[in-house]
């Protein structure tokens, strides 16, 4: 008797954009695969530094000064590195 091979698949895709990622995962599961899904555009990282600035401004009740571009770039790199670590 030959052992049954059940593939494990990691699906990385956008969240809620035509539900591509979700439908792909369901299709693979219907074929007998074990599926894990990771979204690269969930609400926190997708908003970026400008979204973070708006959120903090609303919570504090006043407008924060503009974020320097170098800080915005560093924040973007930090978010990307965090997401990459989660995927790995």
């Amino acid at each position: 008797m030959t052992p049954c091979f059940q593939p494990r698949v990691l699906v990385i895709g956008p969240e809620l954009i035509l539900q591509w990622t979700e439908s792909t995962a369901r299709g693979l599961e219907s074929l007998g695969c074990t599926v894990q899904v990771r979204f690269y555009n969930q609400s926190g990282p997708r908003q970026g530094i400008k979204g973070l600035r708006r959120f903090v401004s609303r919570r504090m009740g006043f407008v924060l000064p503009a974020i320097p571009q170098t800080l915005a770039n560093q924040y973007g790199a930090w978010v990307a590195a965090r997401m990459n670590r989660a995927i790995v």
Side-chain angles (χ1 to χ4, degrees), residues 24-87:
T24 301
R26 283 192 305 271
L28 289 166
E29 286 171 345
S30 73
L31 294 172
C33 299
T34 301
V35 179
Q36 282 192 326
V37 177
R38 295 288 181 256
F39 299 107
Y40 60 76
N41 69 330
Q42 288 178 331
S43 59
R46 182 177 61 218
Q47 291 178 358
I49 193 80
K50 292 178 183 176
L52 178 65
R53 180 174 168 255
R54 280 192 302 271
F55 172 77
V56 171
S57 295
R58 278 192 303 250
R59 298 287 286 184
M60 294 177 70
F62 61 89
V63 177
L64 291 174
I67 305 294
Q69 189 59 44
T70 54
L71 182 59
N73 293 343
Q74 288 176 348
Y75 177 77
W78 175 79
V79 168
R82 191 175 118 222
M83 289 173 36
N84 289 340
R85 278 192 303 273
I87 289 170

